[in-house]
Each structure stands twice: as C-alpha cells, then as structure tokens.
C-alpha cells in the first residue's frame, strides 16, 4: 500500500474559475480520490459518486478544524482566504455525532413537509412580487439582470422569513456575502466582513432572546420539551450558516437551470409540453451543474485506506460535487450533457449525503420548483441578452455562482 506524500504534485484548483467545465473534466480524469491545491494548501478531493457516499458516512472524517494537522501546526492561519469556510464557529455544520444531532434537530423540525407546505403560499407570493419587479426592470425591451432582480432576492427573502431576518438588511447582507465569498477580496477585508457578520447575527440573536417571535432563530433560543436551548454561540453559528447556505445555493440552482434551458430550447419546449416535469429539470440541474462546486472540508482523525492510497491522519478532504455529478459510472458516457429525461438525474449528491446532508434541500427544491415554471410562464419569450459563453462565474471557489445573467424578457 502506497502512502501519498502531502507535498506530491497536485491538481491546482483555479481560484478565478476561468474554465469550470475543464476543471471538472480534469478532476474526474485524475481518479476518484486525488490531490488538489486550494490557494497553496494541499488536500484530497473526492470526485466519484460511490466513494463520496462511502466517505460521507465515515466517522473517521470529522468537521472539527482542530483535527486538521495544517491548522494545528500553524501552516494554515486566519490569513488563508478560505479559512472562513472551515473555521466558522460552533454550529450544526462544524460538529459531529450526538452534538451535531442536538444542534440540528430544530432545523429538521422546522423544515418538515408539513411546514414547507405551509410556507409554499408565501414563496409563491414572493415569486409573483419579484416577477412584477422583473417586468418593470425589463420594460420597453431593456435587458435586465435575472440574478439581481429575481434569483438573488427570492431565496434571501425566503430564508430571512424563516430565520426572522429583517428585509431591510438584505442589501447589506448581499454586499457582505459577496465580499466574503469572492477571492478578489483582500483577506484583511474578508476578516473584517466575517467580524461584521458575527456582530450582526449576535445582535439579532440577542434581540430574539429578549423578544422571541415565530421564526427558527427564536426556536433555537427557546428550545422546548424535546430539545435543550442552544448557547448563544451555537444559535449564532446555526443562523449565520443557514442564511448563507440558504440563499447562495438556491441562487445557483435557479440560474443554472435557466441557463441550461435557454441554451436547449427543445428541452424547454418538452418541459412546457408536459413531456418532462419541472421537478426532473431541477434534479438534472442539481446533478449537471451543482450549486456547490467544492465543499470544504472534513479531516481524518486516523489513517484511512482508500484502495492503494491512504488519507493520513490530520489531512483535509474536499467533496467536489460538480465532478461527482458527472460520474460516468452512475450517469453514463453522456454525463456531461444536460438532459431533462435522464433516468438517473435524481441520483446526484448535490445536497450531500449522510448525517450532514443539507437540511434545507427540500426548501431549495420547493423554491426552484415554484420559481422556474412561474418565470417561464410569465415570460415565455425569455432569452439571453448576451451570448451564453459571456455569462461567467464569479471568482468563488466553492460556489457555482454567476457574475450576472442579462436577459431579454420577450413579449
């Protein structure tokens, strides 16, 4: 059995996301488990569906940053641009085992099918309001940015209503999250943004502690007969992570679906005709163009053998969900093609797998399942305002997010 050197040649992940398709192909070709370099920091990444399912339930891989040898040794510090993705405070996203279940239970209870069904009319109302805004912005045939006017505010409004965040704070949050995720942001500025978000959410939690309302943040604070109240740090951590993940992933899901359909009018026509469902469209988008490109990070608490390779104790492991979604062994030799009729579309892992599977997966599906048909029904002449190749990704290594999405609304 060979033991890979931590400093062996690694595939460098492009921080500017200049060729996401090419990077996905290179990762997949490199094998199910390969060495990568993330802004100068080595790690392993998983690109194969079966191996991802195996490792995502392996209890020897944990979320605790203190298990990371590069963090323990000081080789990685707060100056690493991606540190905010792995050193994010105590929350359901950064602990494992019984503590993870304790911190997650209220979120799970808040996002049951019954509660999502009750939330649906509000999502439909928000969607209709934003479609009116879109029509106004595109009046007289002007090009309009689908991201700014529609795909960003919808999930932010939904997650804010769920968590009890004031809509007046949305512009500030947009600005801060954009700076947090962008690799063009100087690290000192990013650290200030992290501090500002921590302060904002801490103040919100203290406000809810003094005056609880009917939202998930208050439920975290109050606890109940079936769950002990969380500490302030835990509530802040959950709130901060849920707002970030709850809007960022859904933005990508909506925009990537629209881009795929506008580029393939025959598939859009088939969906309109009822030959294929909007649910199938959502699942194929999640598989083919996952909103999360690379999910950082789990750490090995002991040596883990994977075939002839060893993930050594203390090493970091990344899940490359976009490559996993293009696995030929699961989706066939045409896995690089978008196809709403694909029978394996719902076998993706875009929301993860195992104990840490995204608690908001059903909410994201519901939002996209409402937004997409409503958008195309309101604007059947929707079309690109620029060539599709000019719609570029933001310089964000972990999220599959677009700079802008200019469209014409048509008649």
């Amino acid at each position: 059995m060979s033991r890979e050197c931590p400093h062996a040649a690694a595939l460098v992940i492009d921080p500017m996301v200049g060729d996401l398709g090419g990077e996905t192909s290179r990762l997949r070709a490199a094998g199910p488990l390969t060495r990568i370099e993330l802004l100068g920091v080595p790690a392993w990444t998983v690109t194969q569906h079966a191996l991802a399912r195996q490792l995502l339930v392996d209890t020897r891989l944990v979320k605790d940053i203190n298990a990371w040898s590069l963090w323990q040794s000081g080789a990685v510090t707060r100056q690493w641009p991606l540190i905010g993705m792995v050193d994010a405070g105590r929350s359901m996203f950064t602990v494992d085992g019984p503590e993870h279940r304790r911190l997650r239970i209220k979120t799970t209870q808040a996002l049951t099918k019954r509660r999502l069904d009750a939330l649906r009319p509000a999502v439909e109302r928000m969607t209709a309001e934003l479609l009116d805004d879109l029509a106004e912005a595109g009046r007289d045939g002007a090009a309009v940015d689908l991201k700014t006017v529609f795909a960003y505010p919808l999930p932010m409004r939904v997650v804010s209503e769920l968590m009890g965040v004031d809509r007046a704070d949305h512009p500030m949050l947009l600005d801060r999250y954009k700076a947090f995720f962008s690799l063009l942001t100087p690290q000192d500025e990013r650290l200030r943004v992290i501090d500002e978000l921590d302060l904002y959410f801490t103040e919100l939690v203290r406000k809810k502690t003094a005056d609880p309302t009917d939202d998930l943040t208050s439920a975290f604070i109050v606890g109940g007969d079936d769950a002990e109240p969380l500490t302030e740090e835990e509530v802040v951590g959950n709130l901060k992570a849920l707002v970030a993940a709850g809007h960022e992933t859904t933005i990508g899901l909506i925009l990537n679906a629209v881009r795929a359909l506008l580029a393939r009018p025959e598939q859009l026509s088939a969906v309109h005709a009822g030959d294929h469902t909007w649910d199938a469209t959502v699942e194929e988008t999640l598989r083919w163009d996952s909103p999360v490109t690379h999910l950082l990070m789990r750490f090995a608490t002991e040596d883990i053998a994977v075939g002839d390779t060893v993930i050594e104790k203390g090493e970091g492991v990344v899940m490359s969900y976009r490559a996993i979604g293009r696995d030929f062994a699961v989706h066939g030799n045409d896995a690089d093609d978008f196809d709403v009729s694909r029978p394996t579309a719902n076998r993706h892992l875009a929301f993860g797998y195992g104990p840490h599977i995204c608690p908001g997966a059903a909410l994201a599906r519901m939002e996209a399942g409402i937004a997409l048909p409503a958008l195309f029904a309101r604007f059947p002449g929707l079309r690109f305002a620029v060539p599709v190749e000019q719609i570029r990704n933001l310089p964000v290594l972990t999220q599959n997010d677009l700079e802008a999405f200019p469209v014409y609304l048509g008649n």
Side-chain angles (χ1 to χ4, degrees), residues 65-397:
I65 191 175
N66 294 304
W68 192 15
S69 59
L70 295 177
W71 179 253
Q72 292 174 335
S73 70
V76 171
T77 70
R78 296 286 293 172
Q79 289 303 311
W80 187 48
L82 298 174
I83 195 62
M85 304 295 293
V86 290
D87 185 26
R90 183 175 173 81
S91 76
M92 73 179 84
F93 298 94
T94 58
V95 299
D96 298 281
E99 281 297 278
H100 170 253
R101 290 189 289 275
R102 182 179 72 85
L103 295 181
R104 183 182 170 106
I105 187 169
K106 279 294 180 182
T107 304
T108 304
Q109 292 171 344
L111 297 175
T112 61
K113 183 181 184 304
R114 179 178 62 82
R115 295 200 177 192
L116 289 179
D117 287 344
L119 184 62
R120 177 176 288 272
V123 178
E124 291 171 342
R125 171 180 49 79
M126 294 175 197
T127 299
E129 291 171 354
L130 290 169
L131 290 175
D132 288 342
D133 293 344
L134 198 61
E136 178 64 22
R139 190 175 53 181
D140 301 326
V144 57
D145 182 6
L146 187 67
K147 177 180 178 179
T148 300
V149 183
F150 183 70
Y152 163 72
L154 177 60
M156 179 57 86
R157 288 185 187 183
V158 172
V159 76
S160 294
E161 180 154 315
L162 185 67
M163 303 303 299
V165 174
D166 194 324
R167 186 179 293 189
D169 295 331
H170 290 184
M172 178 275 295
L173 291 171
L174 170 62
D175 178 71
R176 299 302 188 274
Y177 280 119
K178 183 177 180 181
F180 171 76
F181 285 111
S182 175
L183 293 178
L184 298 178
T185 304
Q187 184 61 5
D188 288 345
E189 181 182 340
R190 181 180 290 102
L191 292 174
R192 284 196 298 273
V193 166
I194 292 172
D195 289 343
E196 289 171 1
L197 287 170
D198 284 345
L199 178 61
Y200 169 79
F201 286 116
T202 298
E203 290 178 346
L204 178 59
V205 168
R206 289 175 180 172
K207 177 183 175 182
K208 297 290 183 182
T209 300
D211 185 19
T213 52
D214 184 19
D215 54 60
L216 185 50
T217 301
S218 298
F220 286 148
I221 295 165
V222 173
D225 294 337
D226 57 345
E228 63 180 284
L230 308 187
T231 68
E232 180 178 272
E233 178 190 7
E234 291 167 344
V235 176
V236 170
N238 275 358
L239 173 59
K240 183 172 59 175
L242 283 167
V243 171
H247 82 277
E248 278 290 336
T249 54
T250 310
I251 294 170
L253 172 55
I254 293 170
L255 293 180
N256 292 340
V258 174
R259 178 171 56 175
L261 290 171
L262 291 184
R264 297 162 182 81
E266 73 288 349
Q267 295 197 42
L268 177 57
S269 295
V271 175
H272 275 312
D275 297 333
H276 305 293
T277 66
W278 286 105
D279 286 347
T281 303
V282 169
E283 297 307 317
E284 177 66 350
T285 303
L286 288 165
R287 177 203 72 83
W288 182 74
D289 210 7
S290 170
V292 175
T293 312
H294 309 288
L295 187 65
L296 280 55
M297 189 181 298
R298 287 169 168 78
F299 310 102
T301 56
E302 60 183 81
D303 288 0
I304 301 173
V306 178
D308 292 332
T309 301
V310 171
I311 302 170
E312 294 188 15
K313 178 181 178 180
E315 291 189 315
V317 177
V318 173
M319 294 290 157
S320 289
Y321 282 117
R322 195 173 190 277
I324 291 167
R326 305 288 188 96
D327 190 338
F328 293 142
V330 176
H331 302 291
N333 292 334
D334 65 345
D336 286 328
D337 298 335
F338 179 87
D339 182 359
V340 294
S341 69
R342 187 179 302 278
T344 62
N346 63 359
R347 293 182 60 194
H348 63 79
L349 300 179
F351 290 117
Y353 182 73
H356 280 280
I357 192 169
C358 176
L363 177 62
R365 285 183 167 104
M366 182 182 76
E367 290 178 57
I370 291 171
L372 291 169
L375 173 68
F376 282 103
R378 179 75 176 269
F379 304 110
L382 189 72
R383 65 189 189 276
F384 294 118
V386 298
V388 65
E389 59 270 15
Q390 292 183 19
I391 299 176
R392 293 184 290 268
N393 280 73
L394 284 168
V396 176
L397 192 146

